[in-house]
Amino acid sequence: MGIRGLMSFVEDHSNEFFTDLKLRDTKLVIDGYALFHRLCFNSNLELRYGGDYDSFTDVVQKFFESLFACHIRPYVVLDGGCDISDKKLTTLKDRLREKIQAAHSLSVGGGGYVCPLLIREVFIQILTKLQVGFVQCFSEADRDIMTLANHWNCPVLSSDSDFCIFDLHAGFCPLSSFQWRNVNAIKGTQNYYIPAKCFSLGAFCHHFHNMNKALLPLFAVLCGNDYVSPPFVDAFLSKARLPLQGPGSKGRRHHRILALLNWLSHFVDPTEALDKILQYVPKKDRESVQELLCSSMEEYQQSQAKLHDFFQGGVYICPDALNLGLPEWVHVALAKGQLSPLISDALVLRRTILHTQVENMKQPSTHRVSQPIRQTIYGLLLNTSAEQENLGQKSRLPPPPGAVSEVERLHKSLKTSLVDPVKLPKDHCDLGKLVELPLLRRQRLLLETLKVNRTILEPIPAALKLPIAVSCYWLQHTETTAKLHHLQALLLGMLLGPLHTMVSSPGKEELQPGGAQTLYEELQKVKETPGRLHLETAHIFCQWQSCLQMGLYLNQLLNTPLPEPDLTRLYSGSLVHGLCQRLQASASVEGLLNPCPEAKHLYERLFTATKSCAPAELFLPKHKSSSKRDKHKKKGTSRSKNRVGTTPHTRLWHDRSNRFELLRSETPEGHPEACELA
């Protein structure tokens, strides 16, 4: 996350602190967190509708194509879970509050930057498809990135100002000046390069009276990074009588940076400077302040992790993780990005952070709908005893035994609540042997959690089984207020991936000449004009995304008893919102799908599976549906109690062109209660 104000400060002195670079024929260590945020926020992508993951995918692919054209070999390093010491918890909560405000601004038509919920998972899938080497660190990645780059003597690509402090042998290239969209050819050759700027630590130190670069970690701590609270620093600066004033917040931060650098440049080394600083601290506090400063400065030293071993042989050794005694398969899966950092946070810290989406801030958090899925995850992780109790003892102030602390949005603020894990059978309580359970046992637990019978999923293509299972769960939850056009739009949006495959693959034209292309182009037109943001609709689809995210995490923890879906073109928020608008107006599903029989057939299979788990009122005329839903809310009854699809040829009402058309469909053969568990 870095040092606030430092990046803008050095960029204001670009001519002094940076050198021009023509990047080609080199390894490049990339800060994955910084990259996917940069590509998400600086590529003119729509952020209000929950994420256009297909557009994000295209941008990421073009980025790496530029690198490949210049023979740049990228290695992406991703942050993992929260630091075991929890010393950044205050900073993390501050960032979460900022994201809530940004999400609120977007939800009411303002500006702001909030990453779509599944952006990290989509990014990892793109890296896998492109065969780009990547690793997920056990906690924050900065030190591991620095250590790997120095081992290979190659530059680092990031936007984190902490890399202005690290002693990087081949330098640090900020993403803001990395011109990957402007690949240039070397005159007289067929070789290409990317124009970039490289931060020079030597030039930076030379500018400040040839200061010792070993003083920079102390400067970072005093300037206010993610580990030291500003009040202590402000008190020191005030007593040391360093000038802090300047016009505007940027001016004040830059004055603080200048004052500290000039002051520190007079000291020979950190020890001398630290002794001077402690003179301004009350005697009773000196020991604790010294310990805080020294431990914070250590964050800028080399790490003990050897990522080069991982990229060369697939072995990732992280001392912190090894000391916790995690099962070997968990350790490996985390490093390969096959398990989310949420898993390690729940396992080690017994705390998870649930990120806010562009949702209705007046309503409960959209993550409430997916809480039962998380409770099963917590049950698998924590319902063991001795081994997991040891993990809990190594974290600071864990919640009561068995409970997990969830940090999430409450209106426009934060709340923390304790959530109990589900009690599971004994054979599910040994995390080390979880992946050894038979496939059908793991699949059964997943589907029981999602309240779906396996036979419902049999007609569904493998890549869509998990999304459809999650959609069935979502429809049954009492807090979900989805209507028929929401379900239809969601399922139509799922056709985008198969259609993209059809129109992008040669030799498929004989299936239906022009049909797939025509439908694909029509969906792209809908995506370009999603209309105004309807907050209730946004909230409903945010609930679905939360369910999908947690369903994905549970599926990964169970070693994928259902195939992992391709998220890159599974959901496009602008498209789904645009389809909602059209379906509510006059368009019909049949009319949209007529050009492509293959897509129409797939849609019918998806709709048949989900309708069997939907509440009956979903298919009633609008006035009856709303009154019935109100009745259920008053009685507190579960929507899953009242299902359609229990007999063949069920009559369903479909709102189409301001009239109601009778639809006929059948439930899966030999399955009288489509959604009851076997």
Side-chain angles (χ1 to χ4, degrees):
M1 294 178 185
I3 304 148
R4 290 201 169 183
L6 180 58
M7 187 57 71
S8 61
F9 175 80
V10 296
E11 286 177 343
D12 282 355
H13 298 78
S14 178
N15 292 335
E16 299 167 71
F17 302 150
F18 289 88
T19 57
D20 290 329
L21 197 63
K22 296 179 178 179
L23 204 65
R24 58 182 292 269
D25 293 319
T26 181
K27 290 179 178 177
L28 180 66
V29 178
I30 300 175
D31 178 348
Y33 178 89
L35 177 60
F36 73 69
H37 276 78
R38 176 78 184 182
L39 296 181
C40 182
F41 295 155
N42 293 79
S43 302
N44 200 31
L45 301 181
E46 180 57 71
L47 300 175
R48 292 175 297 167
Y49 300 100
D52 289 345
Y53 297 115
D54 55 330
S55 299
F56 175 72
T57 297
D58 293 338
V59 171
V60 176
Q61 287 178 340
K62 289 175 183 176
F63 174 85
F64 284 105
E65 285 169 3
S66 293
L67 299 191
F68 299 151
C70 301
H71 300 290
I72 297 170
R73 302 179 298 285
Y75 294 87
V76 177
V77 184
L78 290 157
D79 290 324
C82 297
D83 190 276
I84 298 172
S85 68
D86 243 4
K87 55 191 172 185
K88 290 180 63 172
L89 182 58
T90 300
T91 300
L92 287 172
K93 287 185 174 181
D94 288 341
R95 300 288 193 271
L96 287 172
R97 292 186 185 96
E98 291 174 1
K99 288 180 181 178
I100 290 172
Q101 295 305 316
H104 171 66
S105 176
L106 286 168
S107 73
V108 296
Y113 295 100
V114 177
C115 268
L117 189 65
L118 300 172
I119 201 80
R120 180 191 180 96
E121 285 72 36
V122 171
F123 184 65
I124 287 175
Q125 287 193 351
I126 301 168
L127 296 178
T128 302
K129 285 182 179 181
L130 296 178
Q131 298 183 340
V132 173
F134 73 92
V135 65
Q136 181 174 270
C137 297
F138 189 68
S139 56
E140 190 165 345
D142 289 1
R143 294 174 65 199
D144 293 345
I145 290 172
M146 181 261 290
T147 305
L148 178 63
N150 282 345
H151 179 82
W152 282 338
N153 195 31
C154 70
V156 167
L157 182 65
S158 178
S159 57
D160 191 333
S161 57
D162 276 331
F163 290 104
C164 295
I165 305 301
F166 287 118
D167 187 7
L168 291 164
H169 301 166
F172 155 52
C173 296
L175 277 161
S176 59
S177 54
F178 189 73
Q179 300 179 49
W180 64 271
R181 290 184 172 94
N182 185 30
V183 173
N184 289 335
I186 299 175
K187 289 183 179 180
T189 73
Q190 293 184 339
N191 298 321
Y192 298 90
Y193 68 88
I194 294 176
K197 289 188 178 295
C198 186
F199 177 76
S200 170
L201 190 67
F204 183 74
C205 290
H206 177 75
H207 182 81
F208 292 99
H209 315 293
N210 287 318
M211 72 180 296
N212 183 352
K213 62 185 177 182
L215 288 161
L216 290 179
L218 180 57
F219 155 72
V221 174
L222 293 175
C223 200
N225 64 2
D226 294 338
Y227 301 97
V228 176
S229 107
F232 157 74
V233 179
D234 289 342
F236 155 70
L237 294 175
S238 176
K239 291 180 180 179
R241 296 182 180 180
L242 299 184
L244 296 177
Q245 299 303 313
S249 58
K250 178 180 176 181
R252 285 192 295 273
R253 284 197 295 268
H254 285 193
H255 272 70
R256 177 199 290 253
I257 290 168
L258 271 171
L260 279 169
L261 287 169
N262 282 317
W263 184 76
L264 285 170
S265 67
H266 294 96
F267 296 99
V268 175
D269 55 34
T271 302
E272 183 184 355
L274 194 56
D275 289 341
K276 186 65 176 179
I277 291 167
L278 293 175
Q279 294 178 15
Y280 296 100
V281 177
K283 288 184 178 180
K284 62 182 180 63
D285 298 327
R286 287 180 183 175
E287 185 175 348
S288 61
V289 169
Q290 183 175 16
E291 182 180 348
L292 173 64
L293 291 175
C294 290
S295 64
S296 299
M297 289 166 61
E298 288 176 4
E299 296 298 324
Y300 295 95
Q301 304 305 313
Q302 295 252 122
S303 78
Q304 296 180 0
K306 297 179 180 179
L307 294 188
H308 57 277
D309 287 342
F310 175 83
F311 286 117
Q312 291 171 356
V315 179
Y316 173 49
I317 300 175
C318 173
D320 287 340
L322 290 176
N323 292 337
L324 289 169
L326 295 178
E328 179 65 21
W329 78 267
V330 173
H331 187 91
V332 172
L334 284 169
K336 292 183 176 180
Q338 296 166 351
L339 286 177
S340 163
L342 178 138
I343 300 298
S344 59
D345 283 348
L347 186 59
V348 176
L349 298 173
R350 293 193 179 178
R351 184 193 66 238
T352 55
I353 293 174
L354 308 177
H355 293 280
T356 301
Q357 304 178 74
V358 182
E359 56 194 80
N360 189 343
M361 300 294 164
K362 295 179 181 178
Q363 298 293 326
S365 166
T366 52
H367 291 294
R368 273 183 46 167
V369 175
S370 60
Q371 187 180 91
I373 306 176
R374 289 194 299 280
Q375 287 179 288
T376 300
I377 292 173
Y378 302 154
L380 291 169
L381 295 174
L382 302 176
N383 275 345
T384 57
S385 2
E387 185 177 349
Q388 259 46 48
E389 288 302 322
N390 289 336
L391 292 178
Q393 291 171 7
K394 294 188 179 184
S395 62
R396 182 181 297 179
L397 299 175
V404 173
S405 175
E406 291 189 342
V407 182
E408 63 178 333
R409 177 188 67 79
L410 176 62
H411 304 304
K412 289 188 285 184
S413 187
L414 287 179
K415 77 164 185 175
T416 302
S417 54
L418 295 180
V419 177
D420 291 321
V422 167
K423 296 294 182 183
L424 297 170
K426 289 184 179 180
D427 57 355
H428 291 84
C429 289
D430 188 343
L431 184 61
K433 297 181 180 178
L434 180 61
V435 294
E436 298 174 12
L437 288 176
L439 171 64
L440 288 179
R441 295 272 291 282
R442 289 180 280 117
Q443 190 179 90
R444 181 181 176 184
L445 176 59
L446 174 66
L447 296 181
E448 283 179 349
T449 302
L450 298 178
K451 303 178 184 178
V452 179
N453 192 292
R454 185 166 56 89
T455 57
I456 293 175
L457 302 178
E458 288 176 357
I460 305 300
L464 292 176
K465 288 184 186 293
L466 183 61
I468 291 302
V470 164
S471 299
C472 291
Y473 169 91
W474 166 72
L475 286 170
Q476 295 177 78
H477 201 283
T478 54
E479 286 193 24
T480 302
T481 58
K483 299 179 178 64
L484 181 58
H485 63 274
H486 294 129
L487 174 60
Q488 292 171 324
L490 183 64
L491 299 181
L492 286 169
M494 290 184 189
L495 302 179
L496 194 64
L499 284 170
H500 181 268
T501 301
M502 291 174 68
V503 301
S504 303
S505 303
K508 297 282 185 178
E509 294 81 1
E510 67 278 2
L511 294 177
Q512 173 69 22
Q517 185 70 41
T518 300
L519 178 56
Y520 185 75
E521 290 174 358
E522 179 62 25
L523 292 180
Q524 291 297 330
K525 290 178 184 177
V526 175
K527 177 185 169 185
E528 291 170 5
T529 55
R532 69 177 183 84
L533 181 68
H534 189 274
L535 205 50
E536 180 187 359
T537 294
H539 200 80
I540 288 168
F541 287 133
C542 285
Q543 289 174 322
W544 179 82
Q545 281 211 69
S546 178
C547 294
L548 179 61
Q549 183 186 50
M550 296 307 160
L552 183 74
Y553 292 171
L554 177 58
N555 191 51
Q556 290 174 338
L557 184 59
L558 291 169
N559 197 25
T560 58
L562 289 182
E564 184 155 314
D566 183 354
L567 301 174
T568 59
R569 300 186 191 277
L570 179 69
Y571 180 83
S572 173
S574 295
L575 172 61
V576 172
H577 279 256
L579 286 167
C580 275
Q581 300 265 2
R582 290 203 177 192
L583 292 169
Q584 279 186 291
S586 61
S588 69
V589 172
E590 186 180 38
L592 282 168
L593 296 179
N594 271 339
C596 186
E598 293 81 16
K600 185 177 181 181
H601 179 60
L602 175 56
Y603 172 85
E604 288 170 350
R605 282 188 284 165
L606 303 182
F607 185 79
T608 299
T610 51
K611 77 175 176 58
S612 61
C613 289
E617 62 264 28
L618 189 75
F619 304 97
L620 294 174
K622 290 182 180 178
H623 66 282
K624 291 185 179 181
S625 176
S626 58
S627 62
K628 200 160 188 176
R629 183 175 288 111
D630 292 341
K631 183 179 178 182
H632 282 305
K633 282 188 176 180
K634 288 178 182 177
K635 289 185 176 181
T637 55
S638 171
R639 302 180 72 198
S640 60
K641 300 288 185 184
N642 212 348
R643 300 188 183 91
V644 298
T646 56
T647 58
H649 307 288
T650 301
R651 296 188 170 201
L652 304 176
W653 291 100
H654 177 195
D655 182 6
R656 175 182 171 193
S657 302
N658 295 321
R659 68 183 187 273
F660 298 102
E661 175 180 331
L662 195 61
L663 300 180
R664 297 170 67 84
S665 58
E666 291 189 11
T667 57
E669 184 178 350
H671 197 54
E673 290 294 332
C675 265
E676 296 298 339
L677 293 171

